[in-house]
Amino acid sequence: MTPELSSLAAALPAVPLTRRTLVRGALAGVALAAGGAVSAQAAGPEQAPFSAGSGRAAYRVPGQATDCHMHIFDPDRFPYPLPTTTPPPKATVSEYRLLQRRTGTKRTVVVTLSNYSTDNRCTLDAIAQLGRKDARGVAVIDTSFSDAQLRELDEGGIRGIRFNLTRPGGAGAELIRPLAERVSALGWHVQIHMTADGILENLSRISDLPTELVIDHMGRIPGATGTSHPAYAAILGLIDAGHTWVKLSGVYHESPVGPPSYSDRAAVGAAFAQAAPERLLWGSDWPHPTASRGEVPMPDDAAMLDLLASWVPRQQDRKRILVDNPETVYGF
């Protein structure tokens, strides 16, 4: 551990890493510590497109560390079936490899974004380029997909289906359970991207699914309300049921404080990290579509990885989040 991370870890309250012992006093201490995100340490120019900064992360990740949430856009080869006034810019596998030099991650999970609707060819192509040994994918499907098509996706490295209810382009919430039943035989999971209020509105739909459930971007819990938002308790309840995972990603979403500390949303991430490290994943969200549309400032991915390290002081829990949990969910 670097001196910077050691000092930040020491500032975290000595609270047992279990959600059963999570108390408000501990959360206050975590929020204070999380406000001082560790800056990435420069190690020569490592600029990657769609990422602020050029230094490598101070935290050196374990071997086989996994970026569980990123996207590839290649409209030259795979045109967007749903054109918009602000389409995401081209972001290729070769450009993503530049980001891996900064983060040190080896394994990757490519997620089909809503702009591609149910066209998963770009995701499958990215998995092939990255290599099936080190890459998996999450697809977007609807009821038109045949069993044969699902098997083809599985052979291409797909291990889950995504429902993005924050933007148009995919299947609606009413199809979560029917499609979960379709893919359960393949051992896939269901991934949801919803606002915190959306999670509460659809709680009955995402509870007791016949698959594992993965929740994007820390449930989009607003930094303004933090863990007092009822969605936080609802997500912990889903975790307690034994089939839910939460991605510690997109800390810049719903953060009025913003960079460099994102202290409001960082407190939410730190709370999840203390409550249930055995049920967490990490993802960069590169190439940060919301930032490319100008909705939020472009984040520094190396700093985001260092922020994760500040939330998780124990090395064994970091390895669990970055290596062991992804192996369970994605079958590496």
Side-chain angles (χ1 to χ4, degrees):
M1 184 185 299
T2 66
E4 293 87 351
L5 290 179
S6 297
S7 61
L8 186 54
L12 290 168
V15 180
L17 295 180
T18 168
R19 56 188 175 279
R20 298 303 183 190
T21 57
L22 196 60
V23 296
R24 289 189 177 183
L27 281 176
V30 169
L32 180 62
V38 180
S39 299
Q41 301 301 303
E46 296 286 348
Q47 187 66 46
F50 311 111
S51 183
S54 60
R56 297 177 183 175
Y59 168 52
R60 294 298 184 254
V61 300
Q64 311 302 321
T66 309
D67 180 351
C68 292
H69 193 106
M70 53 80 68
H71 313 280
I72 295 295
F73 306 120
D74 197 344
D76 295 341
R77 299 169 60 217
F78 306 103
Y80 302 128
L82 294 176
T84 65
T85 56
T86 55
K90 184 176 180 178
T92 64
V93 169
S94 61
E95 291 172 325
Y96 175 71
R97 290 192 186 280
L98 297 176
L99 184 76
Q100 288 182 307
R101 295 180 188 178
R102 295 185 61 203
T103 62
T105 57
K106 180 175 176 59
R107 293 169 171 168
T108 309
V109 179
V110 187
V111 179
T112 298
L113 201 66
S114 57
N115 293 81
Y116 274 118
S117 186
T118 58
D119 182 353
N120 297 286
R121 292 177 300 156
C122 188
T123 293
L124 291 170
D125 179 79
I127 294 170
Q129 289 188 59
L130 290 162
R132 279 290 309 278
K133 178 181 177 182
D134 295 321
R136 299 289 187 272
V138 177
V140 177
I141 68 170
D142 57 22
T143 56
S144 70
F145 279 65
S146 66
D147 290 344
Q149 287 175 308
L150 295 180
R151 287 193 296 271
E152 288 178 4
L153 291 175
D154 186 72
E155 291 169 1
I158 298 299
R159 293 296 179 267
I161 56 174
R162 190 190 197 211
F163 293 82
N164 183 356
L165 299 186
T166 68
R167 294 185 182 277
E174 72 280 359
L175 293 180
I176 291 177
R177 189 168 297 275
L179 291 180
E181 292 172 352
R182 288 282 312 280
V183 304
S184 61
L186 293 167
W188 293 4
H189 64 271
V190 167
Q191 177 177 321
I192 62 165
H193 182 197
M194 299 178 181
T195 64
D197 289 340
I199 288 173
L200 295 175
E201 293 167 5
N202 290 283
L203 198 57
S204 62
R205 286 190 168 114
I206 61 178
S207 300
D208 300 321
L209 291 175
T211 66
E212 296 289 290
L213 175 69
V214 176
I215 298 176
D216 279 354
H217 306 323
M218 303 186 295
R220 293 292 292 264
I221 293 172
T225 52
T227 55
S228 65
H229 194 289
Y232 177 73
I235 292 171
L236 288 187
L238 291 170
I239 290 174
D240 281 337
H243 299 286
T244 297
W245 309 79
V246 175
K247 287 187 180 180
L248 297 178
S249 58
V251 67
Y252 42 86
H253 290 298
E254 319 288 351
S255 175
V257 171
S261 71
Y262 304 98
S263 58
D264 47 359
R265 281 274 285 169
V268 175
F272 275 124
Q274 280 208 339
E278 75 282 2
R279 282 283 162 175
L280 301 180
L281 306 161
W282 179 84
S284 67
D285 196 28
W286 188 90
H288 314 293
T290 55
S292 69
R293 289 191 294 264
E295 297 176 19
V296 297
M298 185 63 70
D300 181 337
D301 291 274
M304 296 301 97
L305 190 56
D306 285 335
L307 191 59
L308 169 71
S310 76
W311 301 341
V312 187
R314 299 201 310 176
Q315 186 62 33
Q316 59 266 42
D317 287 328
R318 295 175 182 173
K319 179 178 180 292
R320 176 182 284 180
I321 293 168
L322 290 168
V323 181
D324 301 338
N325 294 348
E327 286 179 349
T328 298
V329 175
Y330 303 101
F332 286 106

